[in-house]
């Protein structure tokens, strides 16, 4: 069955794609797991405009689920953490493809490139023993839980966005509680002929599902 599904998906991508590169935003975990399960040839890249543009990359033969790859050639990468395999820290990089600076804006340049030439991405990540990078979220978006734990809204939003009739979501903190603001996929709602009451019931089911979700 998986082979037939794989052939069907490949046909949608031109039948014989050598590799489909994902970048620009994290790949939804459910979609990623599906691609892996059917042997779809995906590759993953991560970078910024300031790094022209790649920092890490993984071809399909060394692809690891949840990772955006390993440092590309001529690029040094490290995670500013005492325990980078388990505790996320800011991802920094240094190499010949890192920009010299922002045009006529030394203050902005100094804010992201330190005296040793490390470019500070502003992303929080962990790094496996084999060098694979796992981006957790933006440092400015990280929330501090009531017990002092670090909470990465992007990981929760990824789960929410894969739920029925959800177009997009954002997770915020109000006092000591996490609150998710969800925008329904109204195009799909209308196409399926759902009423407002139907939509409310679906969203309530989604809400109940998050109570026991492993986020």
């Amino acid at each position: 069955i998986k082979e037939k599904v794989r052939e069907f998906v490949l046909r949608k991508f031109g039948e014989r794609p050598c590799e489909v590169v994902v970048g620009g935003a994290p790949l939804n975990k459910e979609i990623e797991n599906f691609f892996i399960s059917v042997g779809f040839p995906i590759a993953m890249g991560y970078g910024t405009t300031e790094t022209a543009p790649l920092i890490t990359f993984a071809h399909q033969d060394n692809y690891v689920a949840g990772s955006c790859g390993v440092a590309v050639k001529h690029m040094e990468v490290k995670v500013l953490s005492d325990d980078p395999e388990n505790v996320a820290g800011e991802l920094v990089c240094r190499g010949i493809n890192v920009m010299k600076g922002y045009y006529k804006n030394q203050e902005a340049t100094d804010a992201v490139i330190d005296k040793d030439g490390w470019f500070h991405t502003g992303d929080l990540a962990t790094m496996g023993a084999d060098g694979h990078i796992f981006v957790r979220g933006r440092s400015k978006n990280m929330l501090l839980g009531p017990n002092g734990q670090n909470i990465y809204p992007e990981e929760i939003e990824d789960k929410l966005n894969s739920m029925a009739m959800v177009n997009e979501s954002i997770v915020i903190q109000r006092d000591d509680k996490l609150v998710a603001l969800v925008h329904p996929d109204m195009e799909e709602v209308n196409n399926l002929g759902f009423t407002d009451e139907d939509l409310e019931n679906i969203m309530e089911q989604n809400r109940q599902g998050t109570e026991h979700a492993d986020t």
Side-chain angles (χ1 to χ4, degrees):
I1 295 178
K2 287 185 177 180
E3 184 60 31
K4 290 185 178 296
V5 173
R6 181 176 184 273
E7 291 176 359
F8 175 81
V9 176
L10 288 175
R11 284 198 297 272
K12 296 296 183 180
F13 284 84
E15 294 193 8
R16 292 186 297 175
C18 295
E19 201 167 57
V20 176
V21 180
V22 178
L27 181 61
N28 178 275
K29 290 182 180 179
E30 286 193 5
I31 296 175
E32 179 183 48
N33 291 336
F34 167 74
F35 280 156
I36 292 174
S37 70
V38 299
F40 188 78
I42 55 175
M44 179 69 72
Y46 160 79
T48 66
T49 301
E50 293 88 346
T51 56
L54 280 178
I55 297 174
T56 64
F57 190 80
H59 288 286
Q60 58 178 313
D61 56 355
N62 68 333
Y63 185 87
V64 174
S67 170
C68 56
V70 298
V72 297
K73 189 176 181 180
H74 302 305
M75 179 68 83
E76 296 177 76
V77 173
K78 65 179 180 179
V79 172
L80 302 181
S81 169
D82 293 334
D83 184 10
E85 288 190 45
N86 300 298
V87 180
E90 186 179 15
L91 180 66
V92 299
C93 61
R94 182 170 63 182
I96 59 176
N97 58 319
V98 175
M99 69 170 186
K100 297 296 184 182
Y102 296 113
Y103 184 62
K104 293 185 178 180
N105 194 337
Q106 191 61 45
E107 182 178 357
T109 299
D110 293 341
V112 296
I113 300 179
D114 63 30
K115 61 182 179 60
D116 295 317
W118 291 99
F119 171 69
H120 291 245
T121 65
D123 287 326
L124 295 173
T126 55
M127 178 187 289
D130 58 359
H132 274 85
I133 296 294
F134 300 82
V135 175
R136 303 294 300 275
R138 295 289 292 171
S139 58
K140 64 181 180 181
N141 293 344
M142 188 187 74
L143 304 174
L144 190 64
N147 296 322
Q149 73 272 34
N150 295 335
I151 299 172
Y152 305 98
E154 293 88 346
E155 295 182 349
I156 303 174
E157 291 161 2
D158 181 69
K159 290 181 178 292
L160 293 173
N161 294 342
S162 65
M163 290 183 167
M165 301 301 142
V166 175
N167 184 36
E168 57 184 348
S169 63
I170 183 171
V171 173
I172 61 175
Q173 193 169 30
R174 289 179 180 169
D175 298 323
D176 291 333
K177 295 182 179 180
L178 294 180
V179 177
L181 306 178
V182 175
H183 186 273
D185 188 341
M186 296 308 300
E187 182 177 355
E188 186 173 6
V189 169
N190 293 329
N191 288 339
L192 294 174
F194 288 158
T195 64
D196 290 345
E197 184 178 357
D198 293 331
L199 181 58
E200 289 180 8
N201 290 335
I202 291 171
M203 290 302 168
E204 175 59 21
Q205 291 173 12
N206 288 342
R207 187 193 66 79
Q208 293 177 7
T210 62
E211 291 181 353
H212 305 289
D214 181 16
T215 58

